[in-house]
Structure formats: structure tokens, C-alpha cells
């Protein structure tokens, strides 16, 4: 930073952006760093062949991330700085084998994503979105009162993934006198909530199943057909994690056939593409992956990602590592 308080833009051929970047992250980075961006198409291979050995740090903001092939083309890569809590677009196994550090932006988005989950629960069970459309279409005047919905207060709610975000969701639901249960790979020591041994056991025992897991390979289709069937025709699914965690084909089929009461979805298997069948279902609420999309939260995420970058360039350490870098 200069004496007048302005930020000096640093130019570095050691930094590589793999985009597209979230707008706030892109804006905040531009104030501080000038760096190269990995081109798409045929130019990608040419760039990696010519400049791959120069790159020491990769910057990402969700997809397409960094897969094993990209890392292999960057022989001197030492760190991947990700603007986001989820690192499912980064091959962590490949990074670990190479000793490449990986950072993310935890905590700063937990409250905002938890608020989104609560909004989806309320909109889906209370049918607020459908009620809004009913009024806008003039149907209140022509068709009479809107139909009944489902109470949220006092429900049994299962949280799949009681991490930072899952815990924040549980805290909010306690204000609605909901009984909370959860399933993780392991029990959470000291948790006041009931533990279920499997996702299916959890789904079978609750009215609403909230998916708040990571989106890595270990959770792919964790919510499969059997889990959805265990949730049943009076049960509701809410997903603010990753679309890959849920068997989307089975979800659509069960919703279509009455095998589920409804769903609130912020994420999908092939974003931004959403199954067209869901568009006509009034028991389904659809969000365009906006879990953390507030100006305050996105800025906090961007600044934390930049703190990781600054720290690594200065000291070789990441502030919020998912994988710590191996010193070389």
C-alpha cells in the first residue's frame, strides 16, 4: 500500500487465474494483482506448454477449478487459492500427492447460506412462492382462497452434514422449536442433536432433510433413491450443498409421482441447466445457486481468498488451508 493509502497493483507471471471469477473476487483482485488467465480452447494447450513451468499459484472461483491434468501441466505449482468454501472442482488427491496447498473461504459464508436454507424450508413447506404466483395471476379474485400449506414449527428436521453451515442451520431451526437430528461420517462430540447412523436412517425419521455436506467424491449421490424413498411422500428435501450429492433423476421421478412432498433446491447436477419437469411443480422451489450471494458475504469471501494469496506469497503459509502446502 502506498503512502497515500492506495493499493499498489503487483504484476506476477507466477499467478494463473482459472476462471470465470465471481465478480467481487475479480474486482478486488484487480485492485491488487495483475496476472495471467488460462485461455480456453486450443490456446489452452499452447499456453500451458509455453508458460506452465512459470506458474506457482493458481487462483480459482468455483468451476472449472483445477483437475489432475491441469496440475500436471504446472510442474512448479505450489498453491491453489479458491474463492469459495467448496473445493469439489479441485482434485484434492492430486494436490496432496504433489504437496500443493489448497485454501478456501470457510466461516464467512456460513450464516448467509444458512439463511438461504431457512428461506427454502419456509418457501417450500409454506408454499410462499406458489402463493405469490397465485396472487400475481389474479387467481385470488377468481378462484378464491389459496390452499393450505405445511407448518414449519415443531417439525423433525434432519441435517446431512453438521459442519459449519449445517450447525448454523440447526441453530436457526431451534428458534422454530424443530427437533434436530443429523448424520455425518462421524459423530460430533458434544452435539446436542440426535445422531443417525446413515443417511437413510436419518431420512426415515424426519419431515425435512437438509443437505449441507461437502460436494466431494465421497458424497456423490449420497442422497440416492433409497434415501429419498425413506423420506417419503410427506417428506421434503432441501439442498444448499452441491447438486452432485443428490440423485437428481430419482428426485425428479419421485416428485413427479408423489413419492416426495416437495423440494427446495439451490443447486443442481448440471448448472445452470435445471430439469424442465421441475418448472411446472408448485411443490418445488428453485434458486439459481444463490446460497452465499449477498454483497457483504461475497466481499468477505473475496478478501479472505486474497488474504490467503498474500500470506502464501509472503510466508509460504495459507490462512485457511484445506491442504497445507509442503515447504520446498
Amino acid at each position: 500500500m502506498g503512502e497515500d493509502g492506495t493499493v499498489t497493483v503487483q504484476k506476477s507471471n507466477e499467478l494463473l487465474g482459472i476462471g470465470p471469477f465471481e465478480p467481487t473476487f475479480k474486482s478486488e483482485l484487480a485492485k491488487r494483482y495483475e496476472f495471467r488467465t488460462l485461455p480456453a480452447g486450443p490456446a489452452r494447450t499452447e499456453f500451458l506448454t509455453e508458460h506452465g513451468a512459470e506458474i506457482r499459484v493458481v487462483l480459482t472461483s468455483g468451476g472449472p477449478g483445477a483437475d489432475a491434468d491441469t496440475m500436471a501441466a504446472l510442474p512448479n505449482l505450489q498453491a491453489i487459492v479458491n474463492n469459495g468454501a467448496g473445493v469439489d472442482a479441485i482434485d484434492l488427491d492430486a494436490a496432496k500427492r504433489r504437496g500443493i496447498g489448497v485454501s478456501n473461504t470457510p466461516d464467512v459464508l456460513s450464516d448467509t447460506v444458512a439463511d438461504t436454507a431457512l428461506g427454502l424450508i419456509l418457501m417450500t413447506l409454506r408454499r410462499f412462492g406458489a402463493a405469490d404466483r397465485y396472487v400475481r395471476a389474479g387467481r385470488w379474485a377468481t378462484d378464491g382462497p389459496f390452499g393450505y400449506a405445511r407448518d414449519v414449527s415443531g417439525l423433525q428436521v434432519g441435517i446431512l452434514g453438521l459442519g459449519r453451515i449445517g450447525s448454523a442451520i440447526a441453530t436457526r431451526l431451534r428458534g422454530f422449536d424443530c427437533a434436530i437430528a443429523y448424520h455425518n461420517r462421524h459423530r460430533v462430540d458434544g452435539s446436542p442433536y440426535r445422531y443417525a447412523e446413515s443417511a437413510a436412517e436419518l431420512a426415515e425419521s424426519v419431515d425435512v432433510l437438509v443437505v449441507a455436506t461437502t460436494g466431494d467424491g465421497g458424497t456423490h449421490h449420497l442422497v440416492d433413491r433409497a434415501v429419498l424413498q425413506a423420506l417419503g411422500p410427506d417428506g421434503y428435501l432441501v439442498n444448499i450443498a452441491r447438486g452432485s450429492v443428490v440423485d437428481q433423476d430419482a428426485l425428479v421421478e419421485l416428485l413427479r409421482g408423489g413419492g416426495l412432498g416437495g423440494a427446495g433446491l439451490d443447486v443442481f447436477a448440471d448448472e445452470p441447466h435445471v430439469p424442465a419437469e421441475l418448472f411446472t411443480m408448485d411443490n418445488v422451489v428453485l434458486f439459481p445457486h444463490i446460497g452465499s450471494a449477498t454483497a457483504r458475504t461475497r466481499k468477505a469471501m473475496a478478501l479472505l481468498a486474497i488474504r490467503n494469496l498474500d500470506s502464501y506469497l509472503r510466508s509460504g503459509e495459507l490462512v485457511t488451508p484445506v491442504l497445507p502446502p509442503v515447504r520446498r
Side-chain angles (χ1 to χ4, degrees), residues 227-263:
V227 172
L228 294 169
Q229 288 174 329
L231 192 54
D234 294 322
Y236 294 80
L237 179 79
V238 170
N239 189 4
I240 47 79
R242 287 292 186 268
S244 61
V245 181
V246 176
D247 183 338
Q248 186 168 276
D249 291 340
L251 174 63
V252 172
E253 182 181 324
L254 288 168
L255 285 167
R256 183 178 61 230
L260 278 176

Side-chain angles (χ1 to χ4, degrees), residues 65-78:
D67 59 19
D69 289 340
T70 302
M71 292 184 214
L74 305 172
N76 295 311
L77 181 63
Q78 298 174 18

Side-chain angles (χ1 to χ4, degrees), residues 16-87:
L16 178 65
I18 300 181
F21 283 178
E22 190 277 327
T24 304
F25 184 47
K26 181 178 181 179
S27 173
E28 294 296 334
L29 267 174
K31 298 175 184 177
R32 298 161 173 83
Y33 290 97
E34 184 178 325
F35 55 90
R36 293 177 289 188
T37 300
L38 182 63
R44 173 189 174 98
T45 301
E46 181 180 343
F47 177 91
L48 291 172
T49 300
E50 184 176 349
H51 302 291
E54 302 168 12
I55 304 303
R56 192 159 65 98
V57 180
V58 157
L59 309 171
T60 72
S61 188
D67 59 19
D69 289 340
T70 302
M71 292 184 214
L74 305 172
N76 295 311
L77 181 63
Q78 298 174 18
I80 300 171
V81 173
N82 182 57
N83 177 52
V87 290

Side-chain angles (χ1 to χ4, degrees), residues 257-325:
L260 278 176
L265 308 172
D266 185 43
V267 290
F268 304 88
D270 182 27
E271 296 175 1
H273 307 291
V274 177
E277 288 178 89
L278 297 177
F279 296 159
T280 59
M281 297 181 185
D282 262 352
N283 60 336
V284 178
V285 176
L286 307 171
F287 286 176
H289 202 151
I290 56 168
S292 63
T294 68
R296 183 181 69 174
T297 296
R298 289 292 172 86
K299 184 166 184 177
M301 291 168 63
L303 294 180
L304 179 53
I306 291 169
R307 281 178 57 207
N308 274 285
L309 174 59
D310 291 343
S311 175
Y312 185 78
L313 294 177
R314 183 178 63 253
S315 67
E317 300 290 341
L318 294 168
V319 178
T320 52
V322 176
L323 291 175

